[in-house]
mmCIF file of all heavy atoms in Angstrom:
data_model
loop_
_atom_site.group_PDB
_atom_site.id
_atom_site.type_symbol
_atom_site.label_atom_id
_atom_site.label_comp_id
_atom_site.label_asym_id
_atom_site.label_seq_id
_atom_site.Cartn_x
_atom_site.Cartn_y
_atom_site.Cartn_z
ATOM 1 N N ILE T 1285 98.880 145.164 87.162
ATOM 2 C CA ILE T 1285 98.384 146.308 86.399
ATOM 3 C C ILE T 1285 99.479 147.366 86.380
ATOM 4 O O ILE T 1285 99.930 147.822 87.424
ATOM 5 C CB ILE T 1285 97.096 146.875 87.027
ATOM 6 C CG1 ILE T 1285 96.030 145.785 87.073
ATOM 7 C CG2 ILE T 1285 96.614 148.106 86.269
ATOM 8 C CD1 ILE T 1285 94.793 146.155 87.845
ATOM 9 N N LEU T 1288 98.760 152.730 84.030
ATOM 10 C CA LEU T 1288 97.385 153.199 83.992
ATOM 11 C C LEU T 1288 97.315 154.595 83.367
ATOM 12 O O LEU T 1288 98.259 155.373 83.413
ATOM 13 C CB LEU T 1288 96.809 153.259 85.415
ATOM 14 C CG LEU T 1288 96.625 151.917 86.112
ATOM 15 C CD1 LEU T 1288 96.185 152.142 87.547
ATOM 16 C CD2 LEU T 1288 95.604 151.062 85.393
ATOM 17 N N LEU T 1301 101.015 155.593 85.197
ATOM 18 C CA LEU T 1301 100.984 155.474 86.656
ATOM 19 C C LEU T 1301 100.811 154.020 87.079
ATOM 20 O O LEU T 1301 100.165 153.228 86.400
ATOM 21 C CB LEU T 1301 99.826 156.301 87.228
ATOM 22 C CG LEU T 1301 99.899 157.816 87.025
ATOM 23 C CD1 LEU T 1301 98.628 158.460 87.528
ATOM 24 C CD2 LEU T 1301 101.104 158.390 87.748
ATOM 25 N N GLU T 1302 101.366 153.707 88.231
ATOM 26 C CA GLU T 1302 101.118 152.416 88.865
ATOM 27 C C GLU T 1302 99.840 152.537 89.684
ATOM 28 O O GLU T 1302 99.417 153.645 90.044
ATOM 29 C CB GLU T 1302 102.299 152.019 89.767
ATOM 30 C CG GLU T 1302 103.614 151.851 89.028
ATOM 31 C CD GLU T 1302 103.597 150.702 88.025
ATOM 32 O OE1 GLU T 1302 102.961 149.673 88.303
ATOM 33 O OE2 GLU T 1302 104.216 150.852 86.960
ATOM 34 N N LEU T 1303 99.233 151.415 90.017
ATOM 35 C CA LEU T 1303 97.964 151.417 90.736
ATOM 36 C C LEU T 1303 98.069 152.167 92.055
ATOM 37 O O LEU T 1303 97.194 152.962 92.394
ATOM 38 C CB LEU T 1303 97.485 149.976 90.960
ATOM 39 C CG LEU T 1303 96.143 149.818 91.689
ATOM 40 C CD1 LEU T 1303 95.028 150.510 90.916
ATOM 41 C CD2 LEU T 1303 95.828 148.345 91.891
ATOM 42 N N ASP T 1304 99.136 151.916 92.829
ATOM 43 C CA ASP T 1304 99.259 152.595 94.127
ATOM 44 C C ASP T 1304 99.405 154.107 93.955
ATOM 45 O O ASP T 1304 98.929 154.889 94.771
ATOM 46 C CB ASP T 1304 100.420 152.035 94.940
ATOM 47 C CG ASP T 1304 101.766 152.221 94.257
ATOM 48 O OD1 ASP T 1304 101.811 152.184 93.022
ATOM 49 O OD2 ASP T 1304 102.775 152.386 94.983
ATOM 50 N N GLN T 1305 100.006 154.542 92.847
ATOM 51 C CA GLN T 1305 100.123 155.972 92.579
ATOM 52 C C GLN T 1305 98.754 156.578 92.261
ATOM 53 O O GLN T 1305 98.440 157.687 92.688
ATOM 54 C CB GLN T 1305 101.086 156.217 91.414
ATOM 55 C CG GLN T 1305 102.519 155.867 91.743
ATOM 56 C CD GLN T 1305 103.417 155.916 90.513
ATOM 57 O OE1 GLN T 1305 103.013 155.493 89.423
ATOM 58 N NE2 GLN T 1305 104.629 156.434 90.701
ATOM 59 N N VAL T 1306 97.934 155.853 91.520
ATOM 60 C CA VAL T 1306 96.590 156.329 91.201
ATOM 61 C C VAL T 1306 95.769 156.455 92.480
ATOM 62 O O VAL T 1306 95.057 157.439 92.692
ATOM 63 C CB VAL T 1306 95.890 155.397 90.182
ATOM 64 C CG1 VAL T 1306 94.427 155.790 89.993
ATOM 65 C CG2 VAL T 1306 96.629 155.407 88.859
ATOM 66 N N ILE T 1307 95.880 155.461 93.360
ATOM 67 C CA ILE T 1307 95.129 155.496 94.619
ATOM 68 C C ILE T 1307 95.549 156.716 95.442
ATOM 69 O O ILE T 1307 94.704 157.441 95.976
ATOM 70 C CB ILE T 1307 95.327 154.178 95.410
ATOM 71 C CG1 ILE T 1307 94.642 153.021 94.663
ATOM 72 C CG2 ILE T 1307 94.787 154.311 96.826
ATOM 73 C CD1 ILE T 1307 94.964 151.647 95.200
ATOM 74 N N ARG T 1308 96.853 156.960 95.547
ATOM 75 C CA ARG T 1308 97.329 158.121 96.312
ATOM 76 C C ARG T 1308 96.873 159.428 95.666
ATOM 77 O O ARG T 1308 96.516 160.380 96.354
ATOM 78 C CB ARG T 1308 98.853 158.076 96.436
ATOM 79 C CG ARG T 1308 99.331 157.037 97.446
ATOM 80 C CD ARG T 1308 100.786 157.257 97.838
ATOM 81 N NE ARG T 1308 101.660 157.353 96.667
ATOM 82 C CZ ARG T 1308 102.498 156.418 96.263
ATOM 83 N NH1 ARG T 1308 102.618 155.298 96.950
ATOM 84 N NH2 ARG T 1308 103.252 156.584 95.190
ATOM 85 N N LEU T 1309 96.870 159.478 94.352
ATOM 86 C CA LEU T 1309 96.429 160.682 93.648
ATOM 87 C C LEU T 1309 94.954 160.955 93.916
ATOM 88 O O LEU T 1309 94.557 162.089 94.204
ATOM 89 C CB LEU T 1309 96.683 160.546 92.143
ATOM 90 C CG LEU T 1309 96.246 161.714 91.273
ATOM 91 C CD1 LEU T 1309 96.945 163.008 91.694
ATOM 92 C CD2 LEU T 1309 96.514 161.418 89.806
ATOM 93 N N ILE T 1310 94.145 159.916 93.844
ATOM 94 C CA ILE T 1310 92.705 160.077 94.107
ATOM 95 C C ILE T 1310 92.491 160.526 95.543
ATOM 96 O O ILE T 1310 91.678 161.420 95.810
ATOM 97 C CB ILE T 1310 91.935 158.773 93.792
ATOM 98 C CG1 ILE T 1310 91.956 158.517 92.282
ATOM 99 C CG2 ILE T 1310 90.509 158.836 94.315
ATOM 100 C CD1 ILE T 1310 91.424 157.160 91.883
ATOM 101 N N GLN T 1311 93.236 159.928 96.488
ATOM 102 C CA GLN T 1311 93.107 160.341 97.883
ATOM 103 C C GLN T 1311 93.505 161.802 98.056
ATOM 104 O O GLN T 1311 92.861 162.561 98.790
ATOM 105 C CB GLN T 1311 93.968 159.445 98.787
ATOM 106 C CG GLN T 1311 93.417 158.045 98.941
ATOM 107 C CD GLN T 1311 94.367 157.124 99.708
ATOM 108 O OE1 GLN T 1311 95.557 157.402 99.843
ATOM 109 N NE2 GLN T 1311 93.824 156.005 100.190
#
Side-chain angles (χ1 to χ4, degrees):
I1285 301 172
L1288 293 174
L1301 296 175
E1302 298 295 324
L1303 181 60
D1304 62 327
Q1305 292 171 320
V1306 172
I1307 292 170
R1308 285 196 308 254
L1309 179 59
I1310 292 171
Q1311 288 173 342

